Amino acid sequence: MLESNYTMPSEFLLVGFTDYLPLRVTLFVVFLIVYTLTVVGNMGLIILVNISSSLQTPMYFFLSNLSFLDISYSTAITPKMLANFLTSRKIISLSGCALQMFFFACLADAECLVLAAMAHDRYAAICNPLLYPTLMSKRVCTCFIVLAYFSGSMTSMVHVCLTFRLPFCGSNIVNHFFCDLPPLLKLSCSDTSMNELLLLIFSGIIAMITFLTVMISYVFIVAAILRIHSAAGRHKAFSTCASHLTAVTLFYGSISFSYIQPSSQYSLEQEKVVSVLYTLVIPMLNPLIYSLRNKEVKNAVKRAVEIKCAPS
């Protein structure tokens, strides 16, 4: 009965990182550069995959979708964060907050599933090369992507609907630089144990299923690679997996720190730093991780440049 007396705020105030103006300007410049590199790098990778005939394979199909997800969930957070660095009143509307939470949660969950699909692709290519065209057909790859977006949409919709039905106790100050679930739950004056349990269950299930998929795939991959007699062959097989393993470690490590832990151990200040890692830094690094040691991508870039520079 008491909860009905509380009204939903029409807007939220985002605390961000600091109120010290020179530091805010510095962070604005740094994060603007990082965001620009994220968009340019990932968009370049998407374009390269679509125009290069040598990259029309399931692995690069998943990689282009991963780049799209990196651009999308970084864009759900960063533009508003950059704008707030330049204003003293860092507000976001109720609908804007709900949309930001929905898109970020949806796209982050989808990225977990795409990373798992990429591990399955490497398993099929190395352990079952003869069955690879069947195991990773265009239809199968499309189903993986549809499942990723559908799963992300459903779980994030549940979180958003349950969160914005909670009563808030007058305070609309979010101790974060975007509308994330844990800091919003701290503003509620009702019992949020069910929300926290669902967050732990959904995040835990998606993280554990996808992480186990990745680990089991790589157990079989390593076993298959060790049976290769040629050192050059083993090196080539390992090199095709190194980039993906690096991306998986960075992404799962940062996401797990933020969401798969009891609320009693949750530190908002620590979480802000980790959030910068998975909303800004990792999306910027992924194109570099997947291209610097990848001969196919390097060769595709060279061919694209040669075609562009060739006299008409």
Side-chain angles (χ1 to χ4, degrees):
M1 180 67 71
L2 288 173
E3 292 182 1
S4 62
N5 294 327
Y6 294 109
T7 59
M8 179 68 71
S10 60
E11 61 185 26
F12 291 96
L13 295 174
L14 299 171
V15 172
F17 295 96
T18 179
D19 289 325
Y20 184 52
L21 183 57
L23 181 55
R24 276 166 38 200
V25 172
T26 302
L27 289 175
F28 171 83
V29 173
V30 171
F31 290 159
L32 178 61
I33 293 172
V34 172
Y35 178 63
T36 302
L37 292 174
T38 297
V39 173
V40 171
N42 284 286
M43 188 60 71
L45 199 52
I46 292 172
I47 294 171
L48 184 66
V49 169
N50 281 278
I51 66 173
S52 177
S53 59
S54 64
L55 301 182
Q56 300 302 307
T57 63
M59 181 175 73
Y60 293 106
F61 171 73
F62 289 130
L63 183 55
S64 63
N65 277 277
L66 184 70
S67 291
F68 174 76
L69 288 168
D70 283 339
I71 293 174
S72 299
Y73 79 73
S74 185
T75 299
I77 306 298
T78 311
K80 183 62 180 175
M81 179 185 66
L82 292 174
N84 286 341
F85 279 131
L86 303 180
T87 181
S88 57
R89 186 168 165 78
K90 297 167 273 193
I91 63 171
I92 185 170
S93 66
L94 177 66
S95 58
C97 187
L99 284 172
Q100 192 178 66
M101 179 191 292
F102 171 80
F103 281 113
F104 175 74
C106 170
L107 297 166
D109 285 350
E111 178 145 343
C112 286
L113 293 164
V114 171
L115 287 170
M118 293 175 75
H120 178 72
D121 171 74
R122 292 298 82 207
Y123 159 78
I126 294 174
C127 299
N128 293 288
L130 296 179
L131 294 176
Y132 182 73
T134 303
L135 293 174
M136 299 306 297
S137 66
K138 187 174 182 179
R139 181 180 178 182
V140 171
C141 293
T142 302
C143 286
F144 274 129
I145 296 300
V146 171
L147 176 63
Y149 283 104
F150 177 77
S151 175
S153 298
M154 291 299 100
T155 56
S156 60
M157 182 64 74
V158 171
H159 288 315
V160 170
C161 290
L162 292 180
T163 299
F164 287 92
R165 290 182 61 185
L166 291 171
F168 292 90
C169 308
S171 175
N172 65 340
I173 301 174
V174 181
N175 187 13
H176 213 311
F177 61 87
F178 72 99
C179 285
D180 200 10
L181 184 56
L184 279 171
L185 292 181
K186 289 185 176 293
L187 299 182
S188 177
C189 48
S190 66
D191 182 16
T192 61
S193 57
M194 179 57 69
N195 299 74
E196 293 170 3
L197 179 61
L198 286 174
L199 175 63
L200 189 63
I201 290 174
F202 286 162
S203 300
I205 287 175
I206 291 176
M208 287 305 298
I209 289 176
T210 55
F211 186 74
L212 284 175
T213 299
V214 172
M215 290 299 101
I216 292 172
S217 296
Y218 275 103
V219 167
F220 285 105
I221 288 170
V222 170
I225 291 175
L226 292 177
R227 290 196 296 268
I228 299 175
H229 299 295
S230 166
R234 288 196 298 269
H235 176 75
K236 182 179 179 181
F238 271 121
S239 65
T240 62
C241 302
S243 299
H244 180 252
L245 275 175
T246 303
V248 165
T249 302
L250 289 173
F251 185 78
Y252 278 90
S254 56
I255 288 290
S256 298
F257 179 90
S258 295
Y259 299 104
I260 310 176
Q261 59 176 319
S263 59
S264 58
Q265 299 178 10
Y266 187 86
S267 168
L268 285 171
E269 298 306 318
Q270 290 179 343
E271 206 277 333
K272 287 181 190 180
V273 177
V274 178
S275 295
V276 171
L277 183 64
Y278 62 73
T279 59
L280 279 167
V281 179
I282 292 177
M284 178 192 69
L285 291 178
N286 275 343
L288 298 175
I289 292 172
Y290 284 103
S291 60
L292 285 180
R293 298 182 59 187
N294 190 313
K295 290 184 179 180
E296 291 178 330
V297 173
K298 289 179 180 178
N299 291 334
V301 171
K302 288 179 182 178
R303 283 193 295 270
V305 172
E306 288 171 357
I307 293 171
K308 184 70 175 177
C309 297
S312 56

